[in-house]
Amino acid sequence: MKSLPTLVFQVNHPTKHFPSQLTTNTQHDNGNMFCQNISFDLSNDVDHEKIDTMDENKGLSDFEYKCPPGGQDAVIIYTTSLRGIRKTFEDCSMIRFLVESFGIVYYERDVSLHIAYRDELWRILGGIRVVPPRLFVKGRHIGGADEVVGLHEQGILKKLLHGIPLISSKFPCKVCCGIRFVMCLSCHGCCKITDQDSNGYRIRCPKCNENGLIKCPVCN
């Protein structure tokens, strides 16, 4: 019986110190995990800072050269005025408003008014049937609505437009009101004319496009 307390003490002794040992190991592991998380977060922050710095230093030379006809030193936007697809129409309106806010001269090519502009856009981009809007600055393909808005939010778009002439008092054109198309004077917009050489039969007007429009003779 005298050895019983000693036996109890020997049995309880490891149990008494076991929780403290477990707690110490757990704290050590948690500490390592905490340090690893901090290192991971710091590395992510550094990477983001590098990416942001690279984006801020973007110039026109960083964009692919896909020059529309007559767009070597100009800003050209391919748009559509059709409201059939609401998002496309709203994107075109947004990009137009965004470019206009800089007060620069730009040229809008509405693919719904002139189907040749649509074919021209597809040809420039290697046959890819993209939808408007599409922005080109000095022969460089900047992108669609999402890309242009993202560049504007980063302050890059303003740098890309540097050197573009500002709008003068002659803009918009008083003849076409900035649409850059007027009604064909030969067929009056009906796309048909009377051919004197074919006994008065009506033939396709050779001067206008599929909508009975011709390019404005003043601003084009």
Side-chain angles (χ1 to χ4, degrees), residues 102-117:
F102 291 99
I104 61 171
V105 176
Y106 70 94
Y107 299 93
E108 182 175 358
R109 297 182 178 178
D110 192 331
V111 300
S112 61
L113 292 180
H114 193 45
I115 196 171
Y117 285 157

Side-chain angles (χ1 to χ4, degrees), residues 4 9-10 26 32 44 46 74 100 108 121 124 126 132 144 147-148 152 169 178 193 199 204 208 213 217:
L4 183 59
F9 175 78
Q10 291 177 350
T26 304
N32 289 337
N44 282 345
V46 172
E100 285 179 351
E108 182 175 358
L121 175 61
I124 293 169
E147 292 83 0
V148 174
H152 175 63
S169 58
I193 59 172
N199 298 325
R204 177 71 172 83
C208 62
L213 302 174

Side-chain angles (χ1 to χ4, degrees), residues 43-213:
S43 63
N44 282 345
D45 292 340
V46 172
D47 290 341
H48 285 304
E49 290 177 359
K50 289 181 180 179
I51 293 173
D52 293 340
T53 304
M54 291 174 61
D55 289 343
E56 290 176 358
N57 294 330
K58 265 190 175 183
L60 282 175
S61 59
D62 295 317
F63 294 88
E64 190 175 9
Y65 187 80
K66 296 283 187 179
C67 186
Q72 291 83 358
D73 298 310
V75 174
I76 296 177
I77 313 174
Y78 288 87
T79 64
T80 178
S81 55
L82 292 179
R83 298 172 180 262
I85 302 178
R86 182 175 179 179
K87 185 180 185 308
T88 300
F89 176 77
E90 291 178 349
D91 286 346
C92 292
S93 300
M94 177 176 57
I95 296 304
R96 186 188 304 109
F97 173 80
L98 187 59
V99 173
E100 285 179 351
S101 67
F102 291 99
I104 61 171
V105 176
Y106 70 94
Y107 299 93
E108 182 175 358
R109 297 182 178 178
D110 192 331
V111 300
S112 61
L113 292 180
H114 193 45
I115 196 171
Y117 285 157
R118 185 202 65 181
D119 297 336
E120 178 181 283
L121 175 61
W122 291 356
R123 183 175 64 255
I124 293 169
L125 298 181
I128 302 176
R129 298 189 175 187
V130 298
V131 296
R134 291 286 158 173
L135 175 64
F136 295 82
V137 178
K138 294 183 178 180
R140 301 285 178 169
H141 179 215
I142 306 303
D146 294 338
E147 292 83 0
V148 174
V149 171
L151 292 171
H152 175 63
E153 291 175 348
Q154 298 173 32
I156 300 174
L157 182 61
K158 184 177 181 180
K159 299 178 182 178
L160 300 180
L161 299 176
H162 178 72
I164 301 297
L166 299 179
I167 294 176
S168 64
S169 58
K170 296 181 180 180
F171 186 87
C173 174
K174 294 182 179 180
V175 176
C176 66
C177 298
I179 300 176
R180 304 189 184 280
F181 282 93
V182 294
M183 185 175 64
C184 178
L185 298 178
S186 298
C187 66
H188 303 287
C190 69
C191 301
K192 297 288 185 180
I193 59 172
T194 302
D195 186 14
Q196 302 297 334
D197 298 331
S198 58
N199 298 325
Y201 286 104
R202 294 177 64 80
I203 62 173
R204 177 71 172 83
C205 178
K207 295 183 179 180
C208 62
N209 64 11
E210 70 282 357
N211 294 311
L213 302 174

